[in-house]
PDB file of all heavy atoms in Angstrom:
ATOM      1  N   VAL A 984      26.054  42.166-111.206  1.00  0.00           N
ATOM      2  CA  VAL A 984      27.476  42.228-111.566  1.00  0.00           C
ATOM      3  C   VAL A 984      28.350  41.578-110.494  1.00  0.00           C
ATOM      4  O   VAL A 984      29.562  41.811-110.440  1.00  0.00           O
ATOM      5  CB  VAL A 984      27.931  43.685-111.833  1.00  0.00           C
ATOM      6  CG1 VAL A 984      27.220  44.244-113.044  1.00  0.00           C
ATOM      7  CG2 VAL A 984      27.715  44.576-110.613  1.00  0.00           C
ATOM      8  N   GLY A 985      27.721  40.764-109.634  1.00  0.00           N
ATOM      9  CA  GLY A 985      28.523  39.918-108.762  1.00  0.00           C
ATOM     10  C   GLY A 985      28.418  40.121-107.264  1.00  0.00           C
ATOM     11  O   GLY A 985      29.030  39.365-106.502  1.00  0.00           O
ATOM     12  N   LEU A 986      27.673  41.124-106.776  1.00  0.00           N
ATOM     13  CA  LEU A 986      27.551  41.313-105.333  1.00  0.00           C
ATOM     14  C   LEU A 986      26.764  40.154-104.729  1.00  0.00           C
ATOM     15  O   LEU A 986      25.641  39.855-105.163  1.00  0.00           O
ATOM     16  CB  LEU A 986      26.856  42.640-105.017  1.00  0.00           C
ATOM     17  CG  LEU A 986      26.669  42.954-103.527  1.00  0.00           C
ATOM     18  CD1 LEU A 986      28.015  43.192-102.857  1.00  0.00           C
ATOM     19  CD2 LEU A 986      25.761  44.173-103.334  1.00  0.00           C
ATOM     20  N   ASP A 987      27.330  39.514-103.713  1.00  0.00           N
ATOM     21  CA  ASP A 987      26.704  38.356-103.078  1.00  0.00           C
ATOM     22  C   ASP A 987      26.063  38.774-101.758  1.00  0.00           C
ATOM     23  O   ASP A 987      26.755  38.980-100.758  1.00  0.00           O
ATOM     24  CB  ASP A 987      27.744  37.258-102.839  1.00  0.00           C
ATOM     25  CG  ASP A 987      27.134  36.033-102.169  1.00  0.00           C
ATOM     26  OD1 ASP A 987      25.916  35.814-102.338  1.00  0.00           O
ATOM     27  OD2 ASP A 987      27.873  35.315-101.471  1.00  0.00           O
ATOM     28  N   VAL A 988      24.757  38.938-101.766  1.00  0.00           N
ATOM     29  CA  VAL A 988      24.009  39.257-100.554  1.00  0.00           C
ATOM     30  C   VAL A 988      22.746  38.404-100.551  1.00  0.00           C
ATOM     31  O   VAL A 988      22.387  37.774-101.543  1.00  0.00           O
ATOM     32  CB  VAL A 988      23.612  40.760-100.478  1.00  0.00           C
ATOM     33  CG1 VAL A 988      24.844  41.634-100.356  1.00  0.00           C
ATOM     34  CG2 VAL A 988      22.759  41.152-101.680  1.00  0.00           C
ATOM     35  N   ILE A 989      22.070  38.412 -99.406  1.00  0.00           N
ATOM     36  CA  ILE A 989      20.784  37.730 -99.314  1.00  0.00           C
ATOM     37  C   ILE A 989      19.840  38.630 -98.528  1.00  0.00           C
ATOM     38  O   ILE A 989      20.273  39.349 -97.618  1.00  0.00           O
ATOM     39  CB  ILE A 989      20.934  36.343 -98.647  1.00  0.00           C
ATOM     40  CG1 ILE A 989      19.654  35.522 -98.821  1.00  0.00           C
ATOM     41  CG2 ILE A 989      21.354  36.458 -97.188  1.00  0.00           C
ATOM     42  CD1 ILE A 989      19.849  34.047 -98.533  1.00  0.00           C
ATOM     43  N   GLY A 990      18.567  38.645 -98.903  1.00  0.00           N
ATOM     44  CA  GLY A 990      17.636  39.591 -98.312  1.00  0.00           C
ATOM     45  C   GLY A 990      16.416  38.939 -97.707  1.00  0.00           C
ATOM     46  O   GLY A 990      16.014  37.837 -98.090  1.00  0.00           O
ATOM     47  N   VAL A 991      15.821  39.648 -96.754  1.00  0.00           N
ATOM     48  CA  VAL A 991      14.522  39.283 -96.183  1.00  0.00           C
ATOM     49  C   VAL A 991      13.557  40.414 -96.516  1.00  0.00           C
ATOM     50  O   VAL A 991      13.732  41.537 -96.031  1.00  0.00           O
ATOM     51  CB  VAL A 991      14.604  39.083 -94.662  1.00  0.00           C
ATOM     52  CG1 VAL A 991      13.208  38.869 -94.076  1.00  0.00           C
ATOM     53  CG2 VAL A 991      15.490  37.892 -94.322  1.00  0.00           C
ATOM     54  N   PRO A 992      12.558  40.166 -97.345  1.00  0.00           N
ATOM     55  CA  PRO A 992      11.618  41.229 -97.724  1.00  0.00           C
ATOM     56  C   PRO A 992      10.599  41.487 -96.622  1.00  0.00           C
ATOM     57  O   PRO A 992      10.225  40.576 -95.875  1.00  0.00           O
ATOM     58  CB  PRO A 992      10.938  40.669 -98.975  1.00  0.00           C
ATOM     59  CG  PRO A 992      11.001  39.183 -98.797  1.00  0.00           C
ATOM     60  CD  PRO A 992      12.275  38.905 -98.052  1.00  0.00           C
ATOM     61  N   THR A 993      10.130  42.727 -96.538  1.00  0.00           N
ATOM     62  CA  THR A 993       9.163  43.109 -95.511  1.00  0.00           C
ATOM     63  C   THR A 993       7.723  43.096 -96.007  1.00  0.00           C
ATOM     64  O   THR A 993       6.816  43.480 -95.260  1.00  0.00           O
ATOM     65  CB  THR A 993       9.504  44.502 -94.952  1.00  0.00           C
ATOM     66  OG1 THR A 993       9.565  45.435 -96.040  1.00  0.00           O
ATOM     67  CG2 THR A 993      10.831  44.497 -94.223  1.00  0.00           C
ATOM     68  N   SER A 994       7.493  42.683 -97.236  1.00  0.00           N
ATOM     69  CA  SER A 994       6.134  42.603 -97.771  1.00  0.00           C
ATOM     70  C   SER A 994       6.148  41.714 -98.997  1.00  0.00           C
ATOM     71  O   SER A 994       7.208  41.431 -99.572  1.00  0.00           O
ATOM     72  CB  SER A 994       5.602  43.990 -98.137  1.00  0.00           C
ATOM     73  OG  SER A 994       6.321  44.520 -99.235  1.00  0.00           O
ATOM     74  N   GLU A 995       4.971  41.298 -99.409  1.00  0.00           N
ATOM     75  CA  GLU A 995       4.871  40.514-100.628  1.00  0.00           C
ATOM     76  C   GLU A 995       5.213  41.360-101.852  1.00  0.00           C
ATOM     77  O   GLU A 995       5.747  40.847-102.841  1.00  0.00           O
ATOM     78  CB  GLU A 995       3.466  39.910-100.749  1.00  0.00           C
ATOM     79  CG  GLU A 995       3.148  38.895 -99.658  1.00  0.00           C
ATOM     80  CD  GLU A 995       4.191  37.792 -99.556  1.00  0.00           C
ATOM     81  OE1 GLU A 995       4.515  37.194-100.610  1.00  0.00           O
ATOM     82  OE2 GLU A 995       4.692  37.534 -98.449  1.00  0.00           O
ATOM     83  N   VAL A 996       4.920  42.652-101.800  1.00  0.00           N
ATOM     84  CA  VAL A 996       5.290  43.546-102.900  1.00  0.00           C
ATOM     85  C   VAL A 996       6.807  43.602-103.047  1.00  0.00           C
ATOM     86  O   VAL A 996       7.359  43.489-104.157  1.00  0.00           O
ATOM     87  CB  VAL A 996       4.705  44.951-102.676  1.00  0.00           C
ATOM     88  CG1 VAL A 996       5.289  45.948-103.682  1.00  0.00           C
ATOM     89  CG2 VAL A 996       3.188  44.929-102.788  1.00  0.00           C
ATOM     90  N   THR A 997       7.505  43.771-101.930  1.00  0.00           N
ATOM     91  CA  THR A 997       8.966  43.813-101.982  1.00  0.00           C
ATOM     92  C   THR A 997       9.535  42.468-102.397  1.00  0.00           C
ATOM     93  O   THR A 997      10.536  42.410-103.130  1.00  0.00           O
ATOM     94  CB  THR A 997       9.535  44.247-100.618  1.00  0.00           C
ATOM     95  OG1 THR A 997       9.076  45.573-100.330  1.00  0.00           O
ATOM     96  CG2 THR A 997      11.054  44.241-100.618  1.00  0.00           C
ATOM     97  N   ARG A 998       8.925  41.383-101.953  1.00  0.00           N
ATOM     98  CA  ARG A 998       9.384  40.064-102.380  1.00  0.00           C
ATOM     99  C   ARG A 998       9.353  39.956-103.918  1.00  0.00           C
ATOM    100  O   ARG A 998      10.321  39.518-104.543  1.00  0.00           O
ATOM    101  CB  ARG A 998       8.507  38.968-101.776  1.00  0.00           C
ATOM    102  CG  ARG A 998       8.871  37.552-102.266  1.00  0.00           C
ATOM    103  CD  ARG A 998       7.936  36.513-101.691  1.00  0.00           C
ATOM    104  NE  ARG A 998       8.020  36.511-100.246  1.00  0.00           N
ATOM    105  CZ  ARG A 998       8.981  35.918 -99.545  1.00  0.00           C
ATOM    106  NH1 ARG A 998       9.948  35.278-100.185  1.00  0.00           N
ATOM    107  NH2 ARG A 998       8.975  35.961 -98.238  1.00  0.00           N
ATOM    108  N   ALA A 999       8.260  40.377-104.507  1.00  0.00           N
ATOM    109  CA  ALA A 999       8.134  40.312-105.966  1.00  0.00           C
ATOM    110  C   ALA A 999       9.169  41.198-106.648  1.00  0.00           C
ATOM    111  O   ALA A 999       9.783  40.796-107.649  1.00  0.00           O
ATOM    112  CB  ALA A 999       6.722  40.706-106.387  1.00  0.00           C
ATOM    113  N   ASP A1000       9.393  42.399-106.109  1.00  0.00           N
ATOM    114  CA  ASP A1000      10.395  43.302-106.695  1.00  0.00           C
ATOM    115  C   ASP A1000      11.798  42.687-106.605  1.00  0.00           C
ATOM    116  O   ASP A1000      12.576  42.746-107.561  1.00  0.00           O
ATOM    117  CB  ASP A1000      10.387  44.650-105.967  1.00  0.00           C
ATOM    118  CG  ASP A1000       9.181  45.500-106.315  1.00  0.00           C
ATOM    119  OD1 ASP A1000       8.551  45.236-107.366  1.00  0.00           O
ATOM    120  OD2 ASP A1000       8.860  46.426-105.543  1.00  0.00           O
ATOM    121  N   ALA A1001      12.122  42.116-105.446  1.00  0.00           N
ATOM    122  CA  ALA A1001      13.452  41.539-105.250  1.00  0.00           C
ATOM    123  C   ALA A1001      13.668  40.337-106.161  1.00  0.00           C
ATOM    124  O   ALA A1001      14.758  40.168-106.741  1.00  0.00           O
ATOM    125  CB  ALA A1001      13.635  41.144-103.786  1.00  0.00           C
ATOM    126  N   GLU A1002      12.662  39.516-106.293  1.00  0.00           N
ATOM    127  CA  GLU A1002      12.786  38.364-107.191  1.00  0.00           C
ATOM    128  C   GLU A1002      12.982  38.822-108.629  1.00  0.00           C
ATOM    129  O   GLU A1002      13.794  38.261-109.372  1.00  0.00           O
ATOM    130  CB  GLU A1002      11.554  37.476-107.058  1.00  0.00           C
ATOM    131  CG  GLU A1002      11.501  36.715-105.733  1.00  0.00           C
ATOM    132  CD  GLU A1002      10.213  35.947-105.541  1.00  0.00           C
ATOM    133  OE1 GLU A1002       9.230  36.228-106.276  1.00  0.00           O
ATOM    134  OE2 GLU A1002      10.173  35.077-104.656  1.00  0.00           O
ATOM    135  N   ARG A1003      12.247  39.846-109.018  1.00  0.00           N
ATOM    136  CA  ARG A1003      12.397  40.387-110.375  1.00  0.00           C
ATOM    137  C   ARG A1003      13.806  40.918-110.603  1.00  0.00           C
ATOM    138  O   ARG A1003      14.343  40.824-111.726  1.00  0.00           O
ATOM    139  CB  ARG A1003      11.360  41.496-110.593  1.00  0.00           C
ATOM    140  CG  ARG A1003      11.502  42.248-111.902  1.00  0.00           C
ATOM    141  CD  ARG A1003      10.379  43.268-112.069  1.00  0.00           C
ATOM    142  NE  ARG A1003      10.249  44.158-110.926  1.00  0.00           N
ATOM    143  CZ  ARG A1003      11.013  45.233-110.720  1.00  0.00           C
ATOM    144  NH1 ARG A1003      11.965  45.539-111.586  1.00  0.00           N
ATOM    145  NH2 ARG A1003      10.820  45.996-109.658  1.00  0.00           N
ATOM    146  N   CYS A1004      14.422  41.466-109.554  1.00  0.00           N
ATOM    147  CA  CYS A1004      15.761  42.042-109.661  1.00  0.00           C
ATOM    148  C   CYS A1004      16.864  41.004-109.450  1.00  0.00           C
ATOM    149  O   CYS A1004      18.052  41.353-109.490  1.00  0.00           O
ATOM    150  CB  CYS A1004      15.924  43.173-108.647  1.00  0.00           C
ATOM    151  SG  CYS A1004      14.914  44.625-109.001  1.00  0.00           S
ATOM    152  N   GLY A1005      16.497  39.751-109.218  1.00  0.00           N
ATOM    153  CA  GLY A1005      17.495  38.695-109.091  1.00  0.00           C
ATOM    154  C   GLY A1005      18.181  38.609-107.741  1.00  0.00           C
ATOM    155  O   GLY A1005      19.263  38.012-107.625  1.00  0.00           O
ATOM    156  N   ILE A1006      17.579  39.160-106.692  1.00  0.00           N
ATOM    157  CA  ILE A1006      18.178  39.147-105.355  1.00  0.00           C
ATOM    158  C   ILE A1006      17.777  37.860-104.636  1.00  0.00           C
ATOM    159  O   ILE A1006      16.589  37.511-104.566  1.00  0.00           O
ATOM    160  CB  ILE A1006      17.710  40.378-104.547  1.00  0.00           C
ATOM    161  CG1 ILE A1006      18.143  41.662-105.256  1.00  0.00           C
ATOM    162  CG2 ILE A1006      18.267  40.329-103.124  1.00  0.00           C
ATOM    163  CD1 ILE A1006      17.482  42.917-104.701  1.00  0.00           C
ATOM    164  N   ARG A1007      18.751  37.151-104.091  1.00  0.00           N
ATOM    165  CA  ARG A1007      18.462  35.938-103.320  1.00  0.00           C
ATOM    166  C   ARG A1007      17.705  36.315-102.048  1.00  0.00           C
ATOM    167  O   ARG A1007      18.039  37.310-101.395  1.00  0.00           O
ATOM    168  CB  ARG A1007      19.750  35.216-102.921  1.00  0.00           C
ATOM    169  CG  ARG A1007      20.448  34.490-104.030  1.00  0.00           C
ATOM    170  CD  ARG A1007      21.487  33.521-103.462  1.00  0.00           C
ATOM    171  NE  ARG A1007      22.463  34.193-102.613  1.00  0.00           N
ATOM    172  CZ  ARG A1007      22.813  33.768-101.392  1.00  0.00           C
ATOM    173  NH1 ARG A1007      22.216  32.726-100.847  1.00  0.00           N
ATOM    174  NH2 ARG A1007      23.743  34.425-100.705  1.00  0.00           N
ATOM    175  N   LEU A1008      16.725  35.498-101.689  1.00  0.00           N
ATOM    176  CA  LEU A1008      15.895  35.801-100.528  1.00  0.00           C
ATOM    177  C   LEU A1008      15.900  34.644 -99.534  1.00  0.00           C
ATOM    178  O   LEU A1008      16.120  33.488 -99.891  1.00  0.00           O
ATOM    179  CB  LEU A1008      14.453  36.092-100.964  1.00  0.00           C
ATOM    180  CG  LEU A1008      14.260  37.300-101.888  1.00  0.00           C
ATOM    181  CD1 LEU A1008      12.795  37.426-102.282  1.00  0.00           C
ATOM    182  CD2 LEU A1008      14.760  38.583-101.229  1.00  0.00           C
ATOM    183  N   THR A1009      15.637  34.995 -98.284  1.00  0.00           N
ATOM    184  CA  THR A1009      15.513  34.007 -97.224  1.00  0.00           C
ATOM    185  C   THR A1009      14.439  34.486 -96.257  1.00  0.00           C
ATOM    186  O   THR A1009      13.707  35.434 -96.557  1.00  0.00           O
ATOM    187  CB  THR A1009      16.868  33.782 -96.519  1.00  0.00           C
ATOM    188  OG1 THR A1009      16.737  32.708 -95.580  1.00  0.00           O
ATOM    189  CG2 THR A1009      17.338  35.039 -95.791  1.00  0.00           C
TER     190      THR A1009
END
């Protein structure tokens, strides 16, 4: 709904969850 953030995942599991949820990653 518009929150602009970027994340660094701490595991491959979290990376997959974040991508599924539409969170930008770096």
Side-chain angles (χ1 to χ4, degrees):
V984 295
L986 180 67
D987 180 26
V988 295
I989 192 164
V991 173
T993 56
S994 68
E995 295 306 310
V996 170
T997 298
R998 176 183 299 280
D1000 286 341
E1002 289 174 344
R1003 174 176 53 81
C1004 292
I1006 299 168
R1007 286 195 303 131
L1008 298 178
T1009 186

